[in-house]
Amino acid sequence: MNQPAVNGGFAPQTLFLGLAASSLASSFLKTEELSARSFLLWGLPAALGLCLLSALLAAEFQARELFSGKGVFSRLGCGVSGLWFAVELIRTVRTAQEVCWSQFSSMAALSVLPLLLWAGWALPEAVFDRSSRVLWWLAGLGALLCAAGLVRQLHWQNLFPASYRFTGADFGQILYPEYFALTFLCPQRQWRKAVWMPLGSFGVQAAFCFGMVLLFGARQGSGLPGYELLRSWTLGAFSRFDAVFLLLWLAAMFFRICVLAHILRLLWEKFRGRTAAFAAGVVALLVRRFPAE
């Protein structure tokens, strides 16, 4: 499922694993009234627009050597990207801890955070690509089990409510820094595949939205957190299998924390190298301008 990256960088599937987990997080924590039709009508064009924007920016950044050049533009790009990824790392940790506390009354996310940051900082990209392959298989198995336990409880008439007023709360987070740093994160031969990640993130959120609407309805699902969908799972043998699904999701979120930490390390090395080269150039220019007497 996941082919390792070549010539350095992450495989697109490795990056998308964390994005899928983050997209599910926004669905877990949402309690607003849902409409599958509005989500599809407004979300699909937005996702396709993000794919187009990501492709255009990737081509432009590659042409201007945003992450590989030595000028001011390159230093600025590395610095701004680093700040955005740092904010995303903090948001990811906070979201994981929020779910840990609300579902397990645990401080697990904060407890293992130093280990996750160390692993993300120290391990090479190839390790993340190999690890994501295992997590993808587990996630696929979990999705199949979840669908098998819910299929008999779904009501297709819920897709056609009598009336609905669209609000901006229908969408979770749709912007991630990975969309705009593909030429830095992926090998040159693979970033063209990664531009479709916004569409994949939308697909994850849409599948969860459709599941909530089919199970609870747009009105009845109002006020319920998204993980109530997992609690409805049953095959007649288990009553609280939702903990297993949440643990799989937490594993993917912890993996995302490691990946973000590694990206910050790479950006810091780039930014530090560009700054040192810039400072050396300034010193050399001053020496030539004002030679010692």
Side-chain angles (χ1 to χ4, degrees), residues 125-187:
E125 293 90 344
V127 174
F128 295 105
D129 290 336
R130 290 193 295 266
S131 302
S132 66
R133 186 183 308 149
V134 177
L135 288 175
W136 269 118
W137 280 108
L138 291 175
L141 178 61
L144 288 176
L145 286 175
C146 186
L150 293 174
V151 65
R152 294 185 179 180
Q153 306 179 59
L154 303 180
H155 306 285
W156 296 99
Q157 64 272 19
N158 290 340
L159 292 177
F160 307 98
S163 62
Y164 181 76
R165 181 175 60 85
F166 172 77
T167 65
D170 285 329
F171 301 106
Q173 179 174 348
I174 61 173
L175 287 178
Y176 295 96
E178 288 92 333
Y179 297 161
F180 309 103
L182 296 181
T183 55
F184 175 71
L185 298 176
C186 298

Side-chain angles (χ1 to χ4, degrees), residues 39-114:
F39 195 95
L40 184 64
L41 178 63
W42 295 92
L44 183 59
L48 292 174
L50 278 176
C51 292
L52 178 60
L53 179 62
S54 179
L56 293 176
L57 288 179
E60 182 68 16
F61 291 163
Q62 186 179 39
R64 292 181 176 272
E65 298 183 334
L66 177 65
F67 298 105
S68 59
K70 298 181 179 181
V72 176
F73 182 67
S74 179
R75 290 195 303 277
L76 180 62
C78 291
V80 172
S81 298
L83 289 176
W84 194 357
F85 276 105
V87 172
E88 181 64 21
L89 175 61
I90 295 172
R91 191 195 66 82
T92 302
V93 172
R94 185 187 64 185
T95 302
Q97 178 53 46
E98 184 177 351
V99 174
C100 282
W101 184 255
S102 64
Q103 297 302 299
F104 306 111
S105 298
S106 170
M107 299 292 290
L110 294 180
S111 299
V112 301
L113 181 59

